[in-house]
Amino acid sequence: VKKTKIGVIIATAILLFSFAACEREERGFRVQPPDSNRTTLTRPTNFEAGQATTPTEFQNEYENNAFAMSEGKRLFSQMNCVGCHAHGGGAIGPALMDDKWIYGSQPDQIFSTIVEGRPNGMPSFRGKLPDYEIWQLAAYVRSLSGKASSNSAPGRDESLHMSTPENSVKGDKKKPLGSDSTTEAKP
Amino acid sequence: MGPARRALIMSAAAAASTLLGGCSGPQSALDAAGVQAEHLQSLWWTFFAVTAAVYVIVMIVLLIALVRRKVSSANEEPDRKPEGPRENRVGNIVKGAVAVMVVTLFILMITSFRAGKAIDSLSSSPPKVVIKVTGHQWWWEIRYEDEANPSNDVSTANEIHVPLGTPVMVKLESADVIHSLWMPNMHGKRDLIPIHPTTIYFEADKPGIYWGQCAEFCGFQHAKMRFSVVAETREEFDSWLNAQRTAPSSPADTVAARGLELFKTGVCAQCHTVQGTSNGRVGPDLTHVASRPYIAAGSYQNTREHLAQWISDPQAIKPGIQMPMNQYSDEDLNSLVTYIESLK
C-alpha cells in the first residue's frame, strides 16, 4: 500500500511538472504600454535650475517583452530611423549604440525625443505612430546600447545585418533602471 | 435482400456521396476550372483508381491467406519441408506479381510525366496577361503592370482577376519569407521565394470566384492568408481593370472629407497607398479597397462593422500582423470608415 502511495505521489509530481511546460514564453501582443501622459514631467536634460532633483524612475514594460522589442526593431527600419541613425552606428544623426545621450537615455526621455523631435534634424513623429509603437521603438533604441534586458532584445535578424545582435550588446543593463544618469553627456 | 442489408448499402452510398461532395467547390483540386487543373485532376483520379485497385487486390489476397492458413497445434513441429510443385507454383505467382507491379509503376510514372508536360505547354506561347504577385506576411500584393505606360499600373490585394480562356503568367516574389501560391481549381502550388522570382502559368475556363490559399507555413497568421480568383469574361475583366486604373473620386460629403484628413495626417498614410493621396509601401494598396469583397486577406467580409473593428483593433483579429491598434473617437472612426467605403 505504501509503495503504491509513493508511486501515485511521484506520478502526480511528474504530471504537474510536465504542466509547467505549458507556461512557455507568451507572445505578448497586447501588453499595456506605459502611460504616455506621465511624460509631461520628462526633462530632455539633467541640467536644471536650482537644486538638482533625482529623476523619477520610469519603467517601460516593453523592455521585457521580446515581441515588442522585435516590433521596435521592425519600426526602426520601416519608419526610416535607419536613414539618419543607421543601424545604431549613426550617420546624419547621432549614434545610438554608444554611451552618449544628448537628450537623455531614460525610456520616457527617448519617447518624448521621438514624439516631439529635437533641434538640428530630428523630426517629430507625433501622430505618425500610435503611442504604444513609439514605446516599442524606445525599448529597442535602449537595447542598442545594452540598456534593455538581454533576455528580450532581438537576437537575430530577418535580413543581412553586419552588427552584433542587440541581445549581446555589452551595456550597463545590470544596473537597475534609472541609475544610468551619470553616463549622460554634459550639456 | 434483408432490410438490415439494404440499410447498410443505403448508408454506405450516403457516406460515399458526402465524401465525394467534398471534391467540388471553389477551393478544390478535383473541381477543375482550367486546363492545367484538368490535367492534374485526371492524373489524380488515375492514381486513385490504380492504387485503390492494388489496395483491394492486396486485401483480398491477405484475407485468402488468413482463411486458408494451416492450423497446427502448439506441440507439433511445423512442417518446413518444401513441396516441389507447390513451391514452383507460388514462386511463379510472386514473379508475375512483381512484373505487374513494375509495369504499373512505369505506367504511372509515364502518365505523370505526360501530365507535367501538358501542364507546362502554356509557358511556350507568350502570355496575354501578366500578373505580379508578391507574398507578404500575411497578405498578397497583386500588380497588373503596363510596361509601356507605368501610370496604368494597378496595385490591389488578395484578389486576382483573370479573363476566361486566356493564358495568364503570374510572376511570383516574396517580400519576407517563403510563401506558396495555391489556387486548387486552377493549378498546383508554386513557392514564392525571397530574391528568387518564380513564375506560374494558368488559364481559367469556367467563370466563377475561386479561393486560393498560402500553402507554405509562413508564420503566425499563415491560415488567414487567403485570396480569391475571379474568372470573368474579357469585357468584365477589361472594365474592372479600367476601373482600377482610375483615381478614386474625392470625398462627396464633409464626413468622408474628415476621414480623408485623418487618413492623410495620421498613421494610415504611413503604410498604405491611396493613389494621389499617400504612398505607403508596407500595407496593401487601398486605392479601390471598397471594390474588394473581403478584407484581411480573405478573412472577413468588407462591411462597415468589420472595417471599424479592423482599424481600431486589428491585433484582436489577426494577432502579430504589422498593422497597429488605433484609438479613434467614435466620430473619427465613423468618418474614416466612410472615407474608406468611398474608395470604390
Side-chain angles (χ1 to χ4, degrees):
Chain A
V1 179
K2 210 175 171 192
K3 236 180 183 174
T4 14
K5 215 176 210 175
I6 293 171
V8 167
I9 290 172
I10 291 175
T12 319
I14 290 173
L15 196 68
L16 285 175
F17 195 66
S18 64
F19 278 141
C22 305
E23 197 72 24
R24 291 175 54 209
E25 187 219 338
E26 289 240 342
R27 296 281 273 169
F29 294 120
R30 305 172 72 83
V31 172
Q32 201 61 32
D35 183 5
S36 304
N37 294 329
R38 278 181 60 201
T39 58
T40 47
L41 303 170
T42 302
R43 290 191 183 89
T45 169
N46 295 330
F47 182 55
E48 51 185 302
Q51 195 83 46
T53 50
T54 41
T56 44
E57 244 177 56
F58 205 100
Q59 177 81 37
N60 181 358
E61 258 318 300
Y62 287 148
E63 285 179 21
N64 301 315
N65 183 316
F67 175 69
M69 292 278 246
S70 66
E71 285 292 279
K73 181 167 185 161
R74 173 174 71 76
L75 292 166
F76 194 80
S77 293
Q78 269 178 6
M79 298 307 290
N80 203 24
C81 307
V82 287
C84 291
H85 298 283
H87 290 281
I92 300 166
L96 299 174
M97 57 206 298
D98 60 6
D99 226 9
K100 213 174 134 195
W101 295 89
I102 304 172
Y103 297 107
S105 67
Q106 285 299 297
D108 55 329
Q109 288 171 320
I110 296 171
F111 177 89
S112 44
T113 300
I114 297 170
V115 170
E116 290 161 7
R118 294 292 180 230
N120 299 326
M122 173 78 186
S124 159
F125 286 84
R126 192 188 296 283
K128 303 297 177 188
L129 279 177
D131 279 358
Y132 82 95
E133 286 200 315
I134 297 181
W135 285 113
Q136 290 175 341
L137 258 174
Y140 173 69
V141 166
R142 275 171 61 86
S143 77
L144 285 170
S145 56
K147 283 187 187 300
S149 161
S150 64
N151 296 336
S152 40
R156 60 178 193 91
D157 289 296
E158 306 268 310
S159 54
L160 201 65
H161 198 165
M162 305 306 276
S163 58
T164 45
E166 288 80 355
N167 67 355
S168 60
V169 176
K170 296 266 184 299
D172 52 2
K173 55 191 167 244
K174 289 209 181 72
K175 292 184 203 165
L177 273 169
S179 66
D180 51 12
S181 48
T182 48
T183 60
E184 320 235 308
K186 295 277 174 297
Chain B
M1 198 187 276
R5 206 160 162 202
R6 190 173 296 163
L8 192 74
I9 290 173
M10 291 287 271
S11 56
S17 61
T18 316
L19 278 175
L20 284 175
C23 298
S24 62
Q27 192 175 354
S28 168
L30 299 177
D31 192 1
V35 278
Q36 319 264 282
E38 259 161 39
H39 289 301
L40 284 175
Q41 189 181 328
S42 59
L43 184 69
W44 194 89
W45 282 115
T46 310
F47 267 69
F48 180 74
V50 172
T51 49
V54 169
Y55 178 78
V56 168
I57 291 168
V58 168
M59 282 301 133
I60 287 172
V61 172
L62 189 66
L63 276 177
I64 290 172
L66 278 173
V67 168
R68 288 181 53 186
R69 75 190 193 280
K70 277 184 193 161
V71 187
S72 53
S73 70
N75 307 335
E76 209 179 322
E77 268 291 298
D79 182 14
R80 292 218 176 81
K81 240 188 277 166
E83 318 160 28
R86 189 165 176 273
E87 184 84 351
N88 267 345
R89 209 176 64 227
V90 173
N92 284 339
I93 291 176
V94 170
K95 280 179 209 157
V98 168
V100 169
M101 188 185 75
V102 169
V103 170
T104 314
L105 285 177
F106 260 97
I107 290 173
L108 285 182
M109 186 178 75
I110 290 163
T111 325
S112 170
F113 284 169
R114 283 172 60 95
K117 213 164 167 226
I119 287 167
D120 215 31
S121 64
L122 266 190
S123 60
S124 52
S125 54
K128 299 266 173 50
V129 177
V130 179
I131 307 172
K132 200 172 139 192
V133 174
T134 309
H136 295 261
Q137 279 175 319
W138 294 277
W139 59 281
W140 305 88
E141 180 186 344
I142 318 287
R143 290 183 69 86
Y144 292 78
E145 291 181 344
D146 186 341
E147 276 178 20
N149 185 2
S151 67
N152 275 341
D153 284 3
V154 164
S155 175
T156 179
N158 311 317
E159 194 186 39
I160 297 178
H161 281 247
V162 287
L164 287 168
T166 313
V168 175
M169 179 170 93
V170 186
K171 290 199 221 168
L172 301 167
E173 273 171 39
S174 171
D176 32 54
V177 298
I178 299 178
H179 302 277
S180 187
L181 182 98
W182 190 27
M183 309 169 276
N185 299 65
M186 300 294 169
H187 206 306
K189 301 166 188 176
R190 185 62 46 98
D191 280 8
L192 291 77
I193 302 164
I195 63 165
H196 180 85
T198 48
T199 49
I200 191 169
Y201 293 81
F202 75 97
E203 189 187 303
D205 295 326
K206 236 163 69 183
I209 298 172
Y210 305 95
W211 281 107
Q213 168 77 40
C214 180
E216 177 74 45
F217 181 69
C218 59
F220 200 35
Q221 293 300 338
H222 164 66
K224 285 183 182 167
M225 188 168 166
R226 306 178 76 200
F227 61 98
S228 50
V229 183
V230 182
E232 55 199 0
T233 60
R234 186 82 218 186
E235 294 75 47
E236 284 169 330
F237 172 77
D238 284 339
S239 72
W240 172 81
L241 198 62
N242 280 330
Q244 296 286 311
R245 278 172 180 163
T246 52
S249 52
S250 48
D253 53 75
T254 50
V255 181
R258 167 90 183 121
L260 168 63
E261 200 56 32
L262 287 165
F263 185 93
K264 270 199 301 197
T265 55
V267 298
C268 313
Q270 304 291 318
C271 296
H272 292 288
T273 294
V274 168
Q275 290 299 335
T277 301
S278 64
N279 190 26
R281 303 300 297 271
V282 176
D285 190 306
L286 299 181
T287 310
H288 295 285
V289 63
S291 75
R292 306 202 278 263
Y294 292 91
I295 58 165
S299 311
Y300 296 92
Q301 275 176 339
N302 190 352
T303 62
R304 276 190 83 87
E305 290 74 33
H306 286 156
L307 274 176
Q309 279 169 16
W310 179 256
I311 292 167
S312 40
D313 199 354
Q315 297 291 334
I317 300 169
K318 275 174 91 168
I321 60 156
Q322 299 189 6
M323 179 152 161
M325 302 172 261
N326 297 291
Q327 282 179 329
Y328 286 107
S329 66
D330 287 350
E331 200 193 335
D332 281 355
L333 191 59
N334 182 46
S335 335
L336 205 50
V337 172
T338 308
Y339 168 63
I340 289 169
E341 290 265 280
S342 77
L343 296 171
K344 286 262 158 52

Short mmCIF file of all heavy atoms in Angstrom, two decimals, chain B residues 68-70 78-92:
data_model
loop_
_atom_site.label_atom_id
_atom_site.label_comp_id
_atom_site.label_asym_id
_atom_site.label_seq_id
_atom_site.Cartn_x
_atom_site.Cartn_y
_atom_site.Cartn_z
N ARG B 68 -7.12 -19.54 -45.30
CA ARG B 68 -6.60 -20.87 -45.68
C ARG B 68 -5.35 -21.28 -44.90
O ARG B 68 -4.68 -22.22 -45.27
CB ARG B 68 -6.29 -20.86 -47.18
CG ARG B 68 -7.55 -20.87 -48.04
CD ARG B 68 -7.22 -20.89 -49.50
NE ARG B 68 -6.29 -21.98 -49.85
CZ ARG B 68 -5.74 -22.14 -51.05
NH1 ARG B 68 -6.02 -21.29 -52.00
NH2 ARG B 68 -4.91 -23.13 -51.29
N ARG B 69 -5.03 -20.52 -43.84
CA ARG B 69 -3.80 -20.86 -43.13
C ARG B 69 -3.93 -22.23 -42.48
O ARG B 69 -5.03 -22.65 -42.08
CB ARG B 69 -3.47 -19.79 -42.09
CG ARG B 69 -4.33 -19.82 -40.84
CD ARG B 69 -4.06 -18.58 -40.02
NE ARG B 69 -4.61 -18.68 -38.69
CZ ARG B 69 -5.90 -18.48 -38.41
NH1 ARG B 69 -6.77 -18.19 -39.37
NH2 ARG B 69 -6.33 -18.57 -37.16
N LYS B 70 -2.78 -22.93 -42.35
CA LYS B 70 -2.78 -24.26 -41.75
C LYS B 70 -2.72 -24.10 -40.24
O LYS B 70 -1.87 -23.37 -39.73
CB LYS B 70 -1.55 -25.04 -42.22
CG LYS B 70 -1.73 -25.70 -43.57
CD LYS B 70 -0.49 -26.52 -43.88
CE LYS B 70 -0.49 -26.93 -45.32
NZ LYS B 70 0.84 -27.30 -45.77
N PRO B 78 6.16 -27.63 -36.76
CA PRO B 78 5.63 -27.28 -38.07
C PRO B 78 6.43 -27.95 -39.19
O PRO B 78 7.65 -28.14 -39.06
CB PRO B 78 5.77 -25.76 -38.11
CG PRO B 78 6.77 -25.42 -37.10
CD PRO B 78 6.75 -26.49 -36.05
N ASP B 79 5.71 -28.28 -40.22
CA ASP B 79 6.35 -28.97 -41.34
C ASP B 79 7.04 -27.95 -42.23
O ASP B 79 6.38 -27.15 -42.91
CB ASP B 79 5.28 -29.73 -42.12
CG ASP B 79 5.89 -30.50 -43.25
OD1 ASP B 79 7.13 -30.65 -43.25
OD2 ASP B 79 5.14 -30.93 -44.14
N ARG B 80 8.35 -27.87 -42.23
CA ARG B 80 9.06 -26.84 -43.00
C ARG B 80 9.59 -27.40 -44.32
O ARG B 80 10.29 -26.70 -45.05
CB ARG B 80 10.24 -26.30 -42.17
CG ARG B 80 9.79 -25.49 -40.96
CD ARG B 80 10.71 -24.31 -40.73
NE ARG B 80 10.21 -23.50 -39.62
CZ ARG B 80 10.41 -23.78 -38.34
NH1 ARG B 80 11.13 -24.84 -38.02
NH2 ARG B 80 9.92 -23.02 -37.40
N LYS B 81 9.30 -28.64 -44.62
CA LYS B 81 9.86 -29.24 -45.84
C LYS B 81 9.14 -28.68 -47.06
O LYS B 81 7.92 -28.65 -47.11
CB LYS B 81 9.67 -30.77 -45.80
CG LYS B 81 11.01 -31.51 -45.87
CD LYS B 81 10.79 -32.98 -46.03
CE LYS B 81 10.52 -33.64 -44.69
NZ LYS B 81 9.98 -35.00 -44.84
N PRO B 82 9.90 -28.14 -48.03
CA PRO B 82 9.23 -27.61 -49.22
C PRO B 82 8.62 -28.72 -50.06
O PRO B 82 9.20 -29.79 -50.19
CB PRO B 82 10.37 -26.90 -49.96
CG PRO B 82 11.61 -27.53 -49.48
CD PRO B 82 11.36 -28.06 -48.10
N GLU B 83 7.44 -28.40 -50.61
CA GLU B 83 6.85 -29.36 -51.54
C GLU B 83 7.17 -28.85 -52.93
O GLU B 83 6.81 -27.72 -53.27
CB GLU B 83 5.33 -29.43 -51.38
CG GLU B 83 4.87 -29.41 -49.93
CD GLU B 83 3.41 -28.99 -49.83
OE1 GLU B 83 2.64 -29.21 -50.77
OE2 GLU B 83 3.05 -28.42 -48.79
N GLY B 84 7.83 -29.64 -53.72
CA GLY B 84 8.34 -29.23 -55.03
C GLY B 84 7.37 -28.49 -55.92
O GLY B 84 7.53 -27.28 -56.13
N PRO B 85 6.31 -29.13 -56.43
CA PRO B 85 5.44 -28.47 -57.40
C PRO B 85 4.74 -27.24 -56.82
O PRO B 85 4.62 -26.22 -57.49
CB PRO B 85 4.42 -29.55 -57.77
CG PRO B 85 4.62 -30.67 -56.80
CD PRO B 85 5.93 -30.52 -56.14
N ARG B 86 4.34 -27.26 -55.53
CA ARG B 86 3.62 -26.13 -54.94
C ARG B 86 4.58 -24.93 -54.83
O ARG B 86 4.22 -23.78 -55.15
CB ARG B 86 3.12 -26.52 -53.55
CG ARG B 86 2.20 -25.47 -52.98
CD ARG B 86 1.42 -25.98 -51.80
NE ARG B 86 0.64 -24.89 -51.27
CZ ARG B 86 1.11 -24.03 -50.37
NH1 ARG B 86 2.31 -24.17 -49.89
NH2 ARG B 86 0.35 -23.04 -49.96
N GLU B 87 5.80 -25.23 -54.40
CA GLU B 87 6.83 -24.20 -54.29
C GLU B 87 7.01 -23.48 -55.63
O GLU B 87 7.05 -22.24 -55.70
CB GLU B 87 8.14 -24.88 -53.86
CG GLU B 87 9.29 -23.93 -53.60
CD GLU B 87 9.24 -23.36 -52.20
OE1 GLU B 87 8.23 -23.59 -51.50
OE2 GLU B 87 10.19 -22.68 -51.82
N ASN B 88 7.09 -24.27 -56.69
CA ASN B 88 7.25 -23.70 -58.04
C ASN B 88 6.09 -22.79 -58.40
O ASN B 88 6.28 -21.68 -58.91
CB ASN B 88 7.31 -24.84 -59.07
CG ASN B 88 8.75 -25.22 -59.33
OD1 ASN B 88 9.67 -24.48 -58.97
ND2 ASN B 88 8.95 -26.38 -59.91
N ARG B 89 4.88 -23.27 -58.10
CA ARG B 89 3.69 -22.51 -58.48
C ARG B 89 3.68 -21.16 -57.75
O ARG B 89 3.50 -20.10 -58.35
CB ARG B 89 2.45 -23.33 -58.11
CG ARG B 89 1.27 -23.03 -59.03
CD ARG B 89 0.09 -23.91 -58.72
NE ARG B 89 -0.41 -23.67 -57.38
CZ ARG B 89 -0.70 -24.62 -56.52
NH1 ARG B 89 -0.50 -25.89 -56.82
NH2 ARG B 89 -1.18 -24.32 -55.32
N VAL B 90 3.94 -21.22 -56.43
CA VAL B 90 3.92 -19.98 -55.64
C VAL B 90 5.01 -19.02 -56.12
O VAL B 90 4.80 -17.81 -56.26
CB VAL B 90 4.09 -20.31 -54.13
CG1 VAL B 90 4.25 -19.04 -53.33
CG2 VAL B 90 2.90 -21.10 -53.63
N GLY B 91 6.18 -19.58 -56.43
CA GLY B 91 7.28 -18.76 -56.93
C GLY B 91 6.89 -18.01 -58.19
O GLY B 91 7.16 -16.81 -58.36
N ASN B 92 6.20 -18.71 -59.09
CA ASN B 92 5.78 -18.08 -60.35
C ASN B 92 4.77 -16.96 -60.10
O ASN B 92 4.82 -15.91 -60.76
CB ASN B 92 5.17 -19.13 -61.28
CG ASN B 92 6.27 -19.97 -61.91
OD1 ASN B 92 7.43 -19.55 -61.97
ND2 ASN B 92 5.91 -21.17 -62.35
#
